[in-house]
Amino acid sequence: MNLYKYVSDAVNTKLGQSVNLEVPRNRDFGDFSTNAAMVMARSAGKNPRELAADIASKISELPFVAETSIAGPGFINIKIKNDFLWNSAAAGADIEQTPAMTIDMDYGSYNVAKSLHIGHLRTSIVGDTLNRIAKFLGHKTISYNHIGDWGRPMGLVIAYIESLHPDWPFFAPNFDADKINPGDYTITATELDTYYPAASARGKEDEAFLNRAREITADLQNGHPGYTALYNLFLKVSLDMMDGIIKKLNMMPFDKTLGERNASMHLGRVEEMLRARNLLQTSDGAEIVTVRRDTDSEPMPPFMFYNSRGADTYEATDLAAIWFRKDSDNPDKIWYLTDARQQLHFKQVFRVAEMLELFPVENLEHLYFGTINGPGGQPFKTRDGNAAGLLDIIEMVGEAVRRRCAEAGKKLDDDTIESIALAALKFTDLMHDVKSDYIFDPAAVTSFEGRTGPYILYTAVRLNSVLRRAGNECTTAPAMPANLAADERNLIIELLDFERTVRSAFDNRATDQLANYAYDLCQLINTFYHNCPILRDDVDPQTRCARLYIARAAQTTLSTVISLMGLRIPNEM
């Protein structure tokens, strides 16, 4: 049940107008509050407190309201009846169905032949959680890993392989795919990991090598059979590496791994549409679309469809990808998750899509995020000054968990260590506003106390332990106890706020709302656990049964939240 919506709708109906309902941090005076009297006083020509008394009197007539009170200049506090809360919790947590949308979600954006680095962390974690939330609410999602697989980096890697293995048949003028066994030409993941950095560094110093890479890029895009065969060889290695990361992060598999190469196949159709509308212009040998508007107050460069060498551009393939997704999925919305540096790029792409009437621009969303910084506030890098690899980050957090366990004298198996490290890594990312930067400190995020992933898991493990010991005792909803303790009551209200939180996280594309709800819920669970004994011998059967029922409801909700964040609950901690 969405308690907030239920109460809000009832209050609005009772008053005959829409008023804002707030959830106070301190529930001592009320479960909900409203400043409606202060807002309406001027138009009503009344003193706010006098009007508040009239409004409070009407709200008190609602059958689920226990009492109302007035505070300060006219705030109205509303307290809900205990039996209504209990019965609402006992009714279960079925999510109200809303009209389902089809949403294409573009996140991951991994690059072929390149190691995943810390810049891929947020797009992966946030994208996966938003995908889970959308599915939970009944929407159809199609997740895309729009891989970088078609630009100059491919030419650089192939040129570098040519410099290492000039005798390989892929570079022969008369290459014949039928005459080779691809298994004879192996490239390991470790080797491939070194190729692009080495090729990139060489390209900056060796003009002849860079020109060769450019030639290869153009030939590859034009279907050169040898380069295509070699590309397919290291593509498989790269995709396997990506799959390894996806599994380590406990992400759902992508529905489609299609990138620039696939999009380029549809450039001809998009080019026809641009030319039919006379949108393409020639500028210094390139073909561009002017997207600047008179209302723009910031620079808005033209959209480049072909560069001066006639090669496909990043902008063009992203536009073609929209055409492909419209044609194949016909989604209601397309979401893109990248870092903030691509804001201008997507503004340009979305404008051209709008000019082509390809997709409603209001249904194209760029959800950008801030950077992950080190303890000094600068972008997180390794000691040698490079962007930290994603595997390095995962291992770093795992080692921090192992140190903590050793210091505490805990002996945990590797699977448990990995689950704790995963929670530490993912929760600390999810709990921050997506658009904000944050400080990443492996020692801090692996603490078992405070607003951390391990604390969330510890609470779940503790709840599971209590319920295992209770077995099948009191599995059906018991009658409400004569009195609900404050800690029991507060926990029930928080459980009834789950649906509102999930919907708000979806509507605002705000994973931090879900993560911080998990933390608030865990605090209330632990307070309940400490102050409301369950299995102790001196607890009477009725109270024991009621508390077990609350504990089971809390376990169900917390497990769901943990699953939506893509975390795993270990058996012990």
Side-chain angles (χ1 to χ4, degrees), residues 342-478:
Q342 295 202 47
Q343 290 180 75
L344 176 61
H345 166 75
F346 281 107
K347 285 179 182 177
Q348 293 174 304
V349 173
F350 293 173
R351 285 192 181 183
V352 179
E354 182 181 23
M355 293 162 75
L356 290 178
E357 299 179 346
L358 191 58
F359 206 84
V361 71
E362 63 272 15
N363 292 338
L364 296 169
E365 298 183 34
H366 178 214
L367 314 177
Y368 59 88
F369 45 81
T371 59
I372 302 175
N373 297 325
Q378 299 300 313
F380 197 94
K381 294 182 181 294
T382 58
R383 290 179 180 176
D384 58 9
N386 294 318
L390 202 44
L391 285 174
D392 296 333
I393 295 293
I394 293 171
E395 182 59 31
M396 192 183 304
V397 176
E399 287 302 317
V401 172
R402 288 186 174 86
R403 284 194 297 272
R404 282 201 177 273
C405 291
E407 291 166 1
K410 292 179 179 286
K411 293 185 177 180
L412 301 175
D413 59 44
D414 288 341
D415 285 345
T416 300
I417 293 289
E418 287 180 9
S419 292
I420 296 170
L422 182 75
L425 183 66
K426 295 180 79 168
F427 182 82
T428 200
D429 190 82
L430 293 171
M431 76 177 187
H432 291 91
D433 183 297
V434 174
K435 293 181 180 179
S436 68
D437 301 343
Y438 72 87
I439 302 294
F440 178 75
D441 181 354
V445 304
T446 53
S447 173
F448 281 53
E449 299 176 352
R451 200 177 293 265
T452 67
Y455 173 74
I456 304 300
L457 293 191
Y458 176 74
T459 304
V461 168
R462 168 184 273 180
L463 259 184
N464 287 346
S465 176
V466 170
L467 295 175
R468 273 198 303 270
R469 284 186 282 136
N472 295 323
E473 184 179 352
C474 301
T475 55
T476 57

Side-chain angles (χ1 to χ4, degrees), residues 1-2 94-96 496-504:
M1 178 189 188
N2 185 337
D94 289 338
I95 300 297
E96 180 184 348
L496 292 173
D497 199 37
F498 167 67
E499 183 178 342
R500 181 191 70 86
T501 300
V502 176
R503 290 195 182 283
S504 181

Side-chain angles (χ1 to χ4, degrees), residues 482-502:
N483 291 297
L484 277 179
D487 296 319
E488 295 170 328
R489 193 176 188 283
N490 288 340
L491 179 52
I492 289 172
I493 290 176
E494 191 72 11
L495 295 174
L496 292 173
D497 199 37
F498 167 67
E499 183 178 342
R500 181 191 70 86
T501 300
V502 176

